[in-house]
Structures are given as C-alpha cells and as structure tokens.
Amino acid sequence: MGELFQLLKRGNKSAFLAAIINTIIAIIKGVAFLFTGNVAMFAETMHSLGDAANQFFVFVGSALSKKAPTEKYPNGFGRLVNLVLLGAVLIVGVMAFETIKEGYHHIIHPTESSGFLINILVLALATLLETFVLFKAMKEILHDLEIEAKGLNVFTMAFANLGRAKPATKLVFMEDMVATLGGLLAIIAVVLAHYTPLHQSEGVASVLIGVMMLFVVGKVFLDNAAGVIGQADEEMENKIGVLVMEDPDVKDIQDITVIKEGEDLHVELEIEIDPQITVAAADDIKDRIHEKIMAEKGVVDVTIEIDEADDVMTWKKSEPTKQT
C-alpha cells in the first residue's frame, strides 16, 4: 500500500487536477441539465464526465508507469501509460457518439429549452475553470521541457512544443482545449436559441462538440498506439549523437537508437574507438559516455557496444521529423 501511495505521488499533476475540476464541472452541468433540459448542456455534461473519467485513469496510469523494473518485467512499466491512454480514449469515444446522436436528434426535432440564465452562468463558470486547467497544462508542458515563458508566450510556446509533451499532459491539454472551445460554442448556441427561432443551434453545437471529441480520440489513439509498439525518438537520437561525438575518444557512431516507452527513454549505442587503446581505457570511455547519457532527462537505461574504428564516417546529424 505504501509503494502504491508513493507511485501515485509521482502521477501526472495536470491529469489529477483536471480530473477533480472536471468532476465538479460535470456535477454542476448535470444538475443544470436536469432543470433546463438544454441539449447543449447535455453535450457539455457528457463531455465533462468523459474528461473526468479519462483524466483519472490517465493520472493512475502515469503513476503506475513509474514503477521500477522487476525480474519478471525487466524493461519496466513505461508503456503502461500508453496502454491506459488507449483505454481512456474509448470512454471519450462513447461520450462523443452519445453527444452527436443527441445533437442530431435535436436538429431533426428541435425543442425550446428553459433556464436561460442558469445555462449561461453554468457554462461561463465551467469555461473559466476549463481555461484554468488548460493554462496549467500549458505550464506543465513548458516545465517538463525546461522552457521559460511568461504571459501570452505561455500559449504560443505550449502550442509550438506540444509534440514533445508527455503523453498524459498532451491528452489533458487537448481535452481541455476542446472543452474550452466546446463551452464557448454551447454559450453561443444557448444565446441563439433564446433570442432567435434557431432552436436547432443547440443541436448543432452538440454535434460540433462531439466531432471535436472524436478528433481528440483519433489523435491520442494514433500517438499512443505508436508508443505501445515502441517509437523511436529522433530528436533525442540527434541530441545524444552530438553529445557522444563530442567525446575526443569516439571516432564514429555505428548505430544509435532511442526508444520511447511512455515517459522513459531506452538508449542503445554502438560506437567506434581507436583499436590501439587498452581494454581498461576502452572501459573508461564506455563508463564516461554512459554517465553523460544517463544525465539526460528521461533516460532510464543505456546499452553501449564498442567496435574498432574503420575510418568510414557512418553517423551524421539529421533533421528529426516534426511532431504535432
């Protein structure tokens, strides 16, 4: 029990905060829907319920993924966070389907809802809370990547570096971005339905919110399916390659692979050195490089093989594929 508590303390803080806030928001929206029958409010209730459940599972998965390797699982549990995220998006998918279905039904059979003031106040409060969580997720992205930013730069830098964010933080960011936009859409729909004959606008908003939820499902599924299989981190391969080649005793890099498992990085490296040096000197080189690579953030293990230099340069720095 003590070990589980220690692991949970290391879980993704953005996911934990988002789960708590979205649970509160879902309860408030659900009560408002029961009083008003507003279909846009129903869509937002389903959205917040899905987000809350999703983010709770993400928090637990991100914590358990940090469990130390065991004899039975020597490679550790880094990919567990990807598996949990794959399961979590199924919840969002079901909620998205219900949201689209209810919105379509309202477009075909529009009805006038009541409680205009309640709907506006609840949606405005929920949107403000979602914006707060979104901002916290942005700050965590920049903190994890050790990027300094203030004011509006937080928004621009977070968007620019989203592809490098931890899987759990990226999911929270995307879900709360959709939730914030969804809240604004719902407010517009409620105002239109109240002041104009366009009662279908609430159904249209519900469908649009559902479609945005499906976009998150697709994006997160593809990202984490790659993580479960074991995805190479080209950016870290370049960074570590440059670091290794700075060592005066390394003549070349035959091969370098950095596999990303959840938030963990596993490095496999084959270097070339002068064949004339002693075994003891070669071992010192290996230890020195191992220590440098292990100092890099996220690296959990390094495997280094040594070969004699063949005077043919193999390694060269490449431009990594841009992530989105």
Side-chain angles (χ1 to χ4, degrees), residues 231-246 250 252-260 265-272 289-290 292-294 296 299 301-307 313-320:
Q231 186 177 25
D233 190 324
E234 295 181 18
E235 183 176 352
M236 280 303 292
E237 287 176 358
N238 275 332
K239 184 177 181 180
I240 292 174
V242 171
L243 180 71
V244 171
M245 288 301 293
E246 287 175 350
V250 175
D252 192 12
I253 299 175
Q254 281 281 7
D255 190 33
I256 180 170
T257 304
V258 179
I259 299 297
K260 191 172 185 179
L265 299 174
H266 302 266
V267 181
E268 296 180 5
L269 180 68
E270 185 177 352
I271 60 174
E272 293 182 5
I289 293 172
H290 183 277
K292 286 182 180 179
I293 297 175
M294 284 297 294
E296 290 294 317
V299 176
D301 63 66
V302 182
T303 302
I304 302 176
E305 295 182 10
I306 293 178
D307 199 358
M313 183 59 67
T314 302
W315 185 83
K316 64 178 181 178
K317 184 178 178 181
S318 60
E319 292 297 325

Side-chain angles (χ1 to χ4, degrees), residues 10-57:
R10 299 171 61 192
N12 187 275
K13 293 179 177 62
S14 288
F16 183 65
L17 176 66
I20 293 173
I21 291 180
N22 274 301
T23 299
I24 296 171
I25 291 172
I27 293 171
I28 295 172
K29 287 177 179 177
V31 172
F33 169 69
L34 290 176
F35 277 100
T36 65
N38 186 285
V39 71
M41 186 65 75
F42 171 80
E44 281 296 288
T45 302
M46 297 295 283
H47 190 179
S48 295
L49 275 174
D51 285 354
N54 212 353
Q55 288 154 356
F56 175 73
F57 286 123

